[in-house]
Amino acid sequence: MSIGNSPEDERPFEDVSEEDRPSVSVGRALQQARIAAGLTVDDVSTATRVRIAIVHAIEADDFAPCGGDVYARGHIRTLARAVDLDPAPLIAQYEAEHGGGRPAPTPAAPLFEAERIRPERRGPNWTAAMVAAIVVVIGFVGFTMVKGDDGGKANVADGAEPTESASPTPKSEKPAAPKPEPSESAIAAAPQDKVTVQVSAVDGRSWISAKDHNGRQLFDGLLKQGESKTFQDSTKVNLVLGDAGAIDLFVNGKKIEDDWQPGAVERLTYTKGDPQAG
């Protein structure tokens, strides 16, 4: 009887060759395709409406900020199409690396839209404040007139003979509070020492980004058809229009007449002196 290892025990362990493993990760493949296309992360974020932080995370193979597999697959598909890659192999590689089967189908559009659109930051509503002030003044005047009429009637009831000077003034009808109509006049009445920009989605919905002269975000989100937003700054307003063809633009009370095509992305900057003559 021999002592030692048997021939079967001396067989080498099987190992997975490096060639069978993916040579490039999902995030690295997206990053290389973006660089080859001559695009920056900001360009891809603007075109896909996926936030810059999420684009950076995916390119670093960190899918935690996506919020789950459904979101991650949707972002991979969107980014791949933006850099002219076939998304199917990347999604298959992601599923193989992260495990788990496909969940039940989920309406994708509302989920991604909720992820991309940040909470709206509303500015002061000057029109509503002006209407409220007018209503208060009219109410005070009407109350004073009614109070004066009641005093005159009380004097007659007590037996005092009203004199000519004490005769009650004919009660005039209370003027109705003016109802403001949304028009260009509200923009034209804006302070002259500021730049005022109104964006209206008249022909469809469009993604809008607005920043002040310090780069502070005034608005970043989806403007639905029929909605309008007004932005003010002491120096300038920087705009990015995701679908300029769907937008009517008013700057310092004047409509901007430009032949923007549907789906065109426009980057614009306006100051207190805009629009220029001609």
Side-chain angles (χ1 to χ4, degrees):
M1 179 176 63
S2 63
I3 300 175
N5 294 331
S6 66
E8 293 182 355
D9 295 333
E10 295 176 355
R11 287 181 299 178
F13 293 102
E14 294 184 359
D15 191 10
V16 178
S17 64
E18 293 295 332
E19 296 179 356
D20 295 335
R21 299 178 184 174
S23 59
V24 180
S25 65
V26 174
R28 181 63 175 167
L30 291 172
Q31 184 185 51
Q32 290 177 348
R34 173 180 62 75
I35 295 173
L39 300 174
T40 65
V41 172
D42 186 63
D43 293 333
V44 172
S45 175
T46 300
T48 62
R49 302 178 189 174
V50 177
R51 289 185 296 174
I52 292 176
I54 293 181
V55 176
H56 277 300
I58 291 176
E59 289 189 353
D61 291 305
D62 179 10
F63 300 95
C66 296
D69 290 340
V70 174
Y71 299 99
R73 283 193 292 268
H75 289 321
I76 292 171
R77 182 179 294 105
T78 301
L79 297 179
R81 289 172 178 168
V83 296
D84 294 328
L85 280 183
D86 182 6
L90 297 178
I91 293 174
Q93 182 177 342
Y94 170 82
E95 292 175 349
E97 292 175 352
H98 293 80
R102 286 181 175 271
T106 307
L111 294 175
F112 296 144
E113 184 172 303
E115 173 65 27
R116 298 172 195 148
I117 300 176
R118 302 176 187 175
E120 177 183 334
R121 298 179 180 178
R122 297 183 178 273
N125 192 334
W126 298 108
T127 303
M130 292 171 60
V131 173
I134 293 173
V135 171
V136 170
V137 172
I138 293 175
F140 177 76
V141 172
F143 173 78
T144 304
M145 294 175 59
V146 172
K147 192 70 175 177
D149 290 345
D150 291 343
K153 292 178 182 178
N155 290 336
V156 174
D158 291 338
E161 301 207 5
T163 62
E164 191 174 327
S165 60
S167 60
T169 305
K171 183 178 179 181
S172 60
E173 295 183 1
K174 185 189 300 182
K179 296 182 179 180
E181 297 182 359
S183 64
E184 301 176 19
S185 60
I187 306 174
Q192 297 299 317
D193 59 342
K194 295 183 178 181
V195 54
T196 303
V197 177
Q198 185 193 59
V199 182
S200 300
V202 295
D203 294 326
R205 65 180 188 173
S206 174
W207 173 78
I208 302 295
S209 174
K211 296 181 180 180
D212 63 11
H213 70 282
N214 289 322
R216 183 175 64 90
Q217 195 79 53
L218 301 176
F219 178 77
D220 182 10
L222 186 66
L223 199 63
K224 297 180 180 179
Q225 185 172 6
E227 291 184 340
S228 296
K229 292 292 178 185
T230 301
F231 311 108
Q232 277 190 344
D233 187 67
S234 60
T235 305
K236 67 179 179 179
V237 173
N238 298 309
L239 290 177
V240 179
L241 308 180
D243 184 356
I247 296 299
D248 274 0
L249 194 59
F250 296 85
V251 178
N252 298 327
K254 295 182 181 180
K255 185 176 181 181
I256 302 300
E257 301 291 349
D258 279 294
D259 188 17
W260 291 320
Q261 298 301 316
V265 177
E266 294 291 338
R267 298 174 181 271
L268 309 167
T269 298
Y270 293 105
T271 63
K272 291 183 290 185
D274 292 328
Q276 308 211 353

